[in-house]
Amino acid sequence: MAENRGDQNGEFSFGKSLSIGRRGLAKIQTDKKALSSSSEEVCHDDSGTPVRAQTLDELHSLQRKRSTPSTPIRGVPQAGGVFATISEEDRHKQQLQSISASLASLTRETGPKLVKGDPERKTGSEIKTTHFSAPTIAISDSGLKFTHVLYNLSPAELYEQAIKYEKGSFITSSGALATLSGAKTGRAPRDKRVVKDETTEDDLWWGKGSPNIEMDEHTFLVNRERAVDYLNSLDKVFVNDQFLNWDPENRIKVRIVSARAYHSLFMHNMCIRPTPEELEDFGTPDFTIYNAGQFPCNRYTHYMTSSTSVDLNLARREMVILGTQYAGEMKKGLFGVMHYLMPKRQILSLHSGCNMGKDGDVALFFGLSGTGKTTLSTDHNRYLIGDDEHCWGENGVSNIEGGCYAKCIDLSREKEPDIWNAIKFGAVLENVVFDEHTREVDYSDKSVTENTRAAYPIEYIPNAKIPCYGPHPKNVILLACDAFGVLPPVSKLSLAQTMYHFISGYTALVAGTEEGVKEPRATFSACFGAAFIMMHPTKYATMLAEKMQKHGASGWLVNTGWSGGRYGSGSRIKLAYTRKIIDAIHSGSLLKANCTKTEVFGLEIPTEIEGVPSEILDPINTWSDKNAYKETLLHLSGLFKKNFEVFLNYKVGKDGNLTDEIVAAGPVF
């Protein structure tokens, strides 16, 4: 077609060579000779070079570019000090051999036959198999098939798998993947078992008050075989090779084998994600999870009390999940493993939040549900090291995880902007309810469960410190929501008092915290995470005190609960006041404050804090009925004493009994 031109007067007009059609429009020239007579009047073909594909399948294969990292193999130097580069095929073979060994039955010398890639994409270039010798027993049907391995898939790939194959998976309006965890919407602590053997019998905490319910080695192997056989029977399994602990000297390699894309993406977010170079040299994992949660355990198996069983074998470094698809079992199962492995290295594992000031001052926050741990540890003026699980070793404090697992019930942009904004592409939303058309999530809807959750990488939080570690903590803050209204807003703790209140792990449940609760109810969770600890609480408390003393850390008890009376008559301490208290702890000004000592609990309380009314610092001042205050105080102290009885006269390995000093640090009538 001829180009358009402007005349001498600047008027726009078509070239004269074009004839005029209806309504004054130029006719389209279709005469080949006329079109070829002048290059100016030819409509040029700008479609480019024809695509290099003969079929749609070939065209789709061109769309995906394959990443091919080439990290040198350690320990195999070539001439001139140059390391040999492993081929892609050999790397696939090594990875599949390692995974096959993980999935091996206990009655066979070799593992299953594996293929790398999605079974739906059966292109020749994606079939990479390992070499297998003949089984030592009669071959079964499962031995004749290949199991496809989907290895360390990206979030985008896992989205595709979930949307296509897992019913109940949707993309929400914010870009997060909404999933369902099935019948179980929370952990099943009564179905958790730990193998009791010669080592764990002495090392672990057993008996009254302990979260560890024993099982024998044989029963574990029966459940392991059941899980492995189920996973091997599937057309495909998801395999994640990742790390725990940001301290590079004490990093743990973990492998998660699962049947759901939801589980794979969840662990992709919650564990530390390896670089392509680290993945090539991953080798044999230090710990393996077999998640066969869609398949039940056999109720007739010894120690089984339901169709759910979460089994931990510390000697074999393995965990088996049957009968529950709740992803939190994997996260907390690994946390329990770290509670065993790290103290063996003289590293303290902690159920806490952790942040760091711009001057490098680190604070640890301990607290049960409803105490404000997440809110207070998330401070835009400080860097977030982690929100839930940490280690305190010789090099300082480090986050165990690579992500955050936040509660979503009643979540709002105004109250928790960081969590709200983190729920985007790559994040997993568990059991939430959303609009079927707009896919907007209603975080107030409890139709599925009140325990709605979001799992996302920690780098989704703007002020996260990457890598997630810092120097030794300066302050250890124990949070309690005292609904009885008798604990002061803040107390300075001695080392013995810190140990006592750390072991106690106190808070009080009120209406809205747990279904059916109308009156204040004291609850205690040893080390602020009794469900996850493996050893006796005094072991962790002793390590905490030793590290605090060695590195000069201060201990604080902060009450975020009620003042002026118990729940129902008093009022909740204002968040603004609590933030002023936390700011004073961070700045160090609270260490210089004048203090008085309370009755019964013997807590040192400051007489003045900037921005906080002095009259609320001593709780007795806020109660109009002083006798009611004293009665409530004695009632709570009695609950503390009763709870602590389970820890008396207990020997932790060779450590001996609890010292009289720790017991005396509790309430005294």
Side-chain angles (χ1 to χ4, degrees):
M1 184 183 293
E3 65 180 5
N4 299 332
R5 302 180 179 89
D7 60 19
Q8 293 178 349
N9 298 323
E11 297 288 339
F12 185 84
S13 65
F14 285 100
K16 295 179 180 178
S17 61
L18 294 181
S19 58
I20 304 300
R22 288 182 298 172
R23 298 181 183 177
L25 298 177
K27 278 187 176 181
I28 298 176
Q29 180 63 261
T30 58
D31 188 345
K32 293 183 179 180
K33 292 182 179 180
L35 287 172
S36 61
S37 62
S38 173
S39 61
E40 291 185 358
E41 298 172 359
V42 173
C43 183
H44 293 285
D45 181 8
D46 59 355
S47 60
T49 308
V51 68
R52 293 178 297 172
Q54 301 299 317
T55 66
L56 281 176
D57 286 342
E58 288 184 26
L59 180 60
H60 292 161
S61 68
L62 292 174
Q63 185 182 25
R64 299 188 305 273
K65 182 180 179 181
R66 186 173 298 174
S67 40
T68 53
S70 55
T71 302
I73 304 176
R74 293 180 185 175
V76 191
Q78 304 297 306
V82 179
F83 284 83
T85 301
I86 185 171
S87 69
E88 183 182 6
E89 184 175 355
D90 287 342
R91 183 176 70 253
H92 284 176
K93 187 173 182 179
Q94 288 182 2
Q95 289 172 344
L96 290 175
Q97 284 176 334
S98 177
I99 296 168
S100 179
S102 294
L103 284 168
S105 164
L106 299 173
T107 57
R108 295 185 286 271
E109 290 183 357
T110 59
K113 298 177 181 179
L114 301 179
V115 179
K116 197 167 187 181
D118 189 341
E120 296 298 314
R121 295 176 180 170
K122 298 178 180 178
T123 59
S125 61
E126 290 181 297
I127 304 295
K128 303 286 183 182
T129 63
T130 55
H131 175 74
F132 298 95
S133 58
T136 56
I137 62 171
I139 195 166
S140 64
D141 288 344
S142 62
L144 297 174
K145 66 179 282 292
F146 283 96
T147 299
H148 292 253
V149 173
L150 302 182
Y151 183 70
N152 274 56
L153 296 190
S154 68
E157 292 173 305
L158 291 169
Y159 266 51
E160 293 169 3
Q161 290 288 324
I163 296 297
K164 190 173 182 180
Y165 301 110
E166 296 179 13
K167 192 173 182 179
S169 297
F170 298 88
I171 301 176
T172 66
S173 59
S174 68
L177 180 70
T179 64
L180 292 172
S181 64
K184 300 282 186 179
T185 58
R187 291 182 298 102
R190 294 180 182 179
D191 294 311
K192 181 183 174 184
R193 301 288 183 269
V194 182
V195 173
K196 189 173 185 179
D197 54 28
E198 292 180 357
T199 302
T200 58
E201 184 175 7
D202 295 329
D203 288 346
L204 301 193
W205 180 25
W206 304 101
K208 185 179 179 181
S210 168
N212 302 315
I213 305 173
E214 70 176 89
M215 75 185 310
D216 59 34
E217 173 86 4
H218 174 76
T219 305
F220 174 85
L221 296 180
V222 169
N223 281 354
R224 181 193 185 278
E225 191 81 349
R226 189 173 178 89
V228 166
D229 283 347
Y230 167 74
L231 292 167
N232 288 338
S233 72
L234 302 175
D235 287 335
K236 63 185 177 186
V237 294
F238 298 89
V239 177
N240 292 42
D241 280 349
Q242 295 181 257
F243 300 116
L244 295 178
N245 197 355
W246 283 84
D247 178 0
E249 295 182 12
N250 294 286
R251 191 166 64 175
I252 301 297
K253 297 186 293 184
V254 294
R255 171 169 292 164
I256 303 99
V257 186
S258 59
R260 291 192 62 182
Y262 147 51
H263 292 151
S264 184
L265 180 57
F266 178 91
M267 295 307 283
H268 170 89
N269 289 345
M270 294 311 303
C271 295
I272 300 169
R273 293 158 290 283
T275 64
E277 292 75 20
E278 290 172 330
L279 201 56
E280 287 185 56
D281 199 28
F282 191 84
T284 303
D286 300 313
F287 197 88
T288 302
I289 293 179
Y290 301 97
N291 189 340
Q294 289 170 291
F295 198 68
C297 67
N298 187 336
R299 291 170 182 257
Y300 289 98
T301 305
H302 193 37
Y303 297 101
M304 299 300 101
T305 54
S306 75
S307 60
T308 298
S309 190
V310 180
D311 308 327
L312 192 60
N313 190 325
L314 294 170
R316 291 184 59 89
R317 305 288 179 94
E318 291 177 340
M319 178 180 178
V320 170
I321 299 175
L322 290 164
T324 173
Q325 298 179 61
Y326 181 65
E329 294 286 10
M330 295 182 287
K331 165 187 160 66
K332 291 305 185 183
L334 288 176
F335 190 31
V337 171
M338 295 297 280
H339 269 311
Y340 176 76
L341 296 179
M342 292 297 102
K344 290 283 189 179
R345 303 183 185 186
Q346 299 306 308
I347 296 170
L348 177 60
S349 49
L350 301 165
H351 186 214
S352 70
C354 182
N355 65 24
M356 184 180 79
K358 294 176 181 177
D359 295 328
D361 58 297
V362 170
L364 293 172
F365 291 82
F366 296 88
L368 302 178
S369 178
T371 60
K373 180 182 73 170
T374 301
T375 301
L376 295 173
S377 61
T378 303
D379 187 334
H380 290 167
N381 296 316
R382 297 172 66 84
Y383 300 108
L384 179 69
I385 292 177
D387 74 328
D388 196 44
E389 303 175 8
H390 293 87
C391 287
W392 188 354
E394 285 300 312
N395 302 321
V397 66
S398 58
N399 192 348
I400 289 175
E401 301 179 297
C404 302
Y405 194 34
K407 291 181 180 178
C408 290
I409 194 67
D410 295 325
L411 177 69
S412 68
R413 189 195 299 269
E414 293 72 29
K415 291 181 181 178
E416 301 286 355
D418 286 344
I419 296 175
W420 180 278
N421 293 327
I423 301 175
K424 56 186 179 180
F425 181 82
V428 176
L429 278 171
E430 286 181 324
N431 301 316
V432 298
V433 177
F434 50 84
D435 185 278
E436 64 178 356
H437 175 59
T438 65
R439 298 292 196 263
E440 290 185 6
V441 179
D442 182 357
Y443 291 109
S444 64
D445 196 315
K446 306 173 185 177
S447 298
V448 179
T449 178
E450 189 170 337
N451 188 33
T452 53
R453 296 271 184 163
Y456 49 85
I458 193 169
E459 56 264 29
Y460 282 15
I461 300 297
N463 62 326
K465 183 186 179 300
I466 308 293
C468 302
Y469 54 75
H472 295 284
K474 182 179 177 182
N475 291 293
V476 174
I477 302 170
L478 312 182
L479 300 171
C481 177
D482 177 29
F484 294 96
V486 295
L487 291 182
V490 61
S491 313
K492 173 73 173 70
L493 301 178
S494 66
L495 278 178
Q497 286 176 322
T498 302
M499 294 175 73
Y500 181 89
H501 287 279
F502 178 71
I503 293 172
S504 297
Y506 163 72
T507 195
L509 298 177
V510 295
T513 307
E514 190 174 282
E515 189 176 354
V517 177
K518 295 180 180 179
E519 291 293 319
R521 191 172 77 201
T523 183
F524 298 90
S525 182
C527 307
F528 294 93
F532 321 120
I533 61 176
M534 303 297 290
M535 302 176 182
H536 195 272
T538 53
K539 172 70 174 179
Y540 303 102
T542 302
M543 291 183 69
L544 177 64
E546 289 173 350
K547 290 185 180 296
M548 288 178 65
Q549 188 173 38
K550 181 177 180 180
H551 300 290
S554 300
W556 307 90
L557 179 63
V558 174
N559 174 23
T560 63
W562 269 253
S563 177
R566 60 193 289 157
Y567 172 77
S569 60
S571 59
R572 185 104 190 232
I573 297 171
K574 292 182 179 179
L575 178 60
Y577 295 160
T578 304
R579 287 198 182 278
K580 287 289 185 182
I581 290 170
I582 298 298
D583 289 343
I585 291 174
H586 290 323
S587 68
S589 62
L590 212 52
L591 281 173
K592 305 171 186 176
N594 295 323
C595 293
T596 60
K597 185 170 284 192
T598 65
E599 296 179 336
V600 182
F601 278 91
L603 300 170
E604 288 192 5
I605 57 175
T607 57
E608 188 177 3
I609 301 174
E610 184 180 352
V612 181
S614 297
E615 59 268 20
I616 74 167
L617 295 177
D618 190 340
I620 194 172
N621 296 333
T622 64
W623 284 62
S624 57
D625 188 339
K626 308 302 181 186
N627 289 329
Y629 165 79
K630 291 181 179 179
E631 289 177 7
T632 307
L633 179 64
L634 291 175
H635 173 68
L636 181 61
S637 63
L639 296 176
F640 265 85
K641 277 187 169 293
K642 183 178 180 181
N643 171 72
F644 216 80
E645 288 174 0
V646 72
F647 307 121
L648 297 174
N649 302 319
Y650 190 93
K651 295 183 178 181
V652 187
K654 300 178 181 179
D655 292 343
N657 297 341
L658 284 168
T659 63
D660 294 336
E661 183 182 359
I662 299 174
V663 177
V668 178
F669 293 89

